Amino acid sequence: MSFQLYFFRRLVFIVPLLFGITIIAFLIANAVPADPVTANLPQNALGDETLVQAFREKWGLDQPPHVQYLTYISNLLRGDMGTSIKTGRPVIVDIGEFLPATIELATLAIVFGLVMGVGVGIISAVYRNTLIDYVSRIFALIGVSFPVFLLALIGLTVLYAQLGIVAGPGRLGFRTPDPDHITGFFTLDALLTGDFETFQEAFSHIVLPAFILGIYVAGTIARVTRSALLEVLGMDYMRTARAKGLGERRVLWHGVRNALIPVVTIIGLSYGNLLAGTVLVESIFAWPGIGRYMFRASTSQDFPAIMGVSMLIALIYIIVNFVVDMLYFFVDPRIRTEGR
């Protein structure tokens, strides 16, 4: 199968998938037994029927659900995700303000998770049933089973409050102005503008939450890497390669390449989870990301913001899975030879 055909086949699934997600997100948002009126109007205004009716008319809440959905879809096709009830600004503007912080944090976290997870998984498989393997498996078990908010609190207490080797919550210190806005990523913007002092401070603030999230995803990646590599190393063709005199490093390299398929899958899903917003870690570290925005929208019944974030999260997962599917084409030779 050619790459163009494989690419097109995966691409055509995205449109109906997005359409289905809008229906599911709309139904779930409307099924919640809470009224946006009581969540957003002041207590003394709830008794005024005129104000309540005006609020419902302004936000389209007086319309039947199917009319609300068709109106939302019509606006969405024009690139309008609605206006947030809470902030009074277009949802797409709010998302554009919060999303870069989450992308910056999630990207550094998945780099940490990838290095630690794949590295520990390979070492654990190579030194199977030795002390190194047991220590590696304990590390993976901690990453999988330890509550991430507890890791975050321990990290803040030890590395920030006690040892002072990393900065505290927030993207920058209170007295440090934001770097000039170019990409919205503080570390990258500071580098692009040559402000190395701000870059150092921004990196010091992001490294701890990214490391905590990295440990969180590294446990899963390490376990999948170990399991996949052990299975591959036990295959007959690996024993044949050793019998033919191939060096152990080359055998291991071939094994790692063949074990990449499930590892790539779990890395993609982990990155999608991080981008979808890690509410607890963002709250503990006062990180102004999409997770905090989503939490505020949910607690205030901000329907346009909830739908906007739902669509964003769905789009993130679709894009990440699409990229993972494209990587399959290069790591799995069975796809390239399909149909020949």
Side-chain angles (χ1 to χ4, degrees), residues 6 10 264 320-330 335:
Y6 182 73
R10 293 296 180 276
V264 167
V320 169
N321 279 288
F322 183 76
V323 172
V324 169
D325 279 348
M326 294 303 102
L327 290 176
Y328 282 164
F329 185 85
F330 298 103
I335 296 177

Side-chain angles (χ1 to χ4, degrees), residues 116-172:
M116 289 188 290
V118 174
V120 169
I122 292 175
I123 291 172
S124 180
V126 171
Y127 296 99
R128 183 183 184 184
N129 293 332
T130 64
L131 180 61
I132 296 175
D133 181 28
Y134 296 139
V135 173
S136 302
R137 289 162 70 180
I138 290 172
F139 167 80
L141 190 62
I142 290 173
V144 171
S145 60
F146 221 62
V148 68
F149 73 92
L150 202 53
L151 284 175
L153 291 174
I154 292 173
L156 266 178
T157 304
V158 176
L159 300 178
Y160 166 61
Q162 298 296 327
L163 301 178
I165 58 177
V166 294
R171 298 183 77 184
L172 288 172

Side-chain angles (χ1 to χ4, degrees), residues 25-339:
F26 185 85
L27 290 175
I28 292 175
N30 276 274
V32 176
D35 190 352
V37 175
T38 56
N40 291 280
L41 277 184
Q43 194 67 31
N44 56 3
L46 293 177
D48 190 333
E49 192 57 37
T50 305
L51 285 177
V52 171
Q53 184 60 27
F55 182 88
R56 291 188 182 280
E57 289 178 2
K58 179 181 179 181
W59 298 105
L61 300 173
D62 58 333
Q63 300 293 323
H66 69 280
V67 175
Q68 293 181 36
Y69 175 73
L70 292 176
T71 303
Y72 182 79
I73 288 295
S74 174
N75 293 333
L76 189 63
L77 291 175
R78 294 197 299 271
D80 180 6
M81 301 179 81
T83 302
S84 167
I85 298 175
K86 191 71 177 177
T87 65
R89 301 190 304 173
V91 172
I92 197 166
V93 173
D94 282 348
I95 289 176
E97 181 179 313
F98 285 89
L99 188 58
T102 294
I103 293 178
E104 187 179 29
L105 177 61
T107 303
L108 187 58
I110 199 65
V111 171
F112 283 147
L114 185 61
V115 172
M116 289 188 290
V118 174
V120 169
I122 292 175
I123 291 172
S124 180
V126 171
Y127 296 99
R128 183 183 184 184
N129 293 332
T130 64
L131 180 61
I132 296 175
D133 181 28
Y134 296 139
V135 173
S136 302
R137 289 162 70 180
I138 290 172
F139 167 80
L141 190 62
I142 290 173
V144 171
S145 60
F146 221 62
V148 68
F149 73 92
L150 202 53
L151 284 175
L153 291 174
I154 292 173
L156 266 178
T157 304
V158 176
L159 300 178
Y160 166 61
Q162 298 296 327
L163 301 178
I165 58 177
V166 294
R171 298 183 77 184
L172 288 172
F174 293 112
R175 296 179 180 177
T176 305
D178 294 352
D180 294 338
H181 184 90
I182 300 175
T183 63
F185 309 145
F186 279 9
T187 50
L188 187 58
D189 288 351
L191 276 180
L192 292 175
T193 55
D195 189 350
F196 297 107
E197 190 174 336
T198 302
F199 167 77
Q200 190 176 11
E201 184 170 344
F203 187 78
S204 181
H205 275 266
I206 196 175
V207 69
L208 181 56
F211 185 69
I212 297 296
L213 290 172
I215 293 176
Y216 174 62
V217 298
T220 307
I221 295 174
R223 289 170 70 91
V224 172
T225 303
R226 180 182 185 276
S227 174
L229 188 55
L230 282 177
E231 184 179 346
V232 170
L233 291 176
M235 294 283 186
D236 289 340
Y237 66 87
M238 299 300 287
R239 285 193 286 270
T240 303
R242 289 192 181 94
K244 286 185 174 181
L246 207 63
E248 194 59 34
R249 286 189 178 182
R250 291 192 65 184
V251 171
L252 180 60
W253 169 242
H254 286 296
V256 170
R257 285 186 59 187
N258 291 334
L260 274 180
I261 296 173
V263 179
V264 167
T265 304
I266 202 68
I267 290 172
L269 290 175
S270 299
Y271 191 46
N273 285 335
L274 293 173
L275 285 173
T278 48
V279 178
L280 288 175
V281 172
E282 288 186 359
S283 298
I284 291 171
F285 285 93
W287 196 261
I290 205 70
R292 290 185 69 192
Y293 181 68
M294 180 172 60
F295 177 75
R296 280 182 4 196
S298 302
T299 53
S300 62
Q301 288 298 302
D302 189 346
F303 182 75
I306 292 172
M307 285 296 294
V309 173
S310 300
M311 291 304 300
L312 172 71
I313 292 173
L315 193 61
I316 286 172
Y317 273 103
I318 288 172
I319 291 174
V320 169
N321 279 288
F322 183 76
V323 172
V324 169
D325 279 348
M326 294 303 102
L327 290 176
Y328 282 164
F329 185 85
F330 298 103
V331 300
D332 190 351
R334 291 171 297 184
I335 296 177
R336 296 195 294 274
T337 57
E338 185 180 328

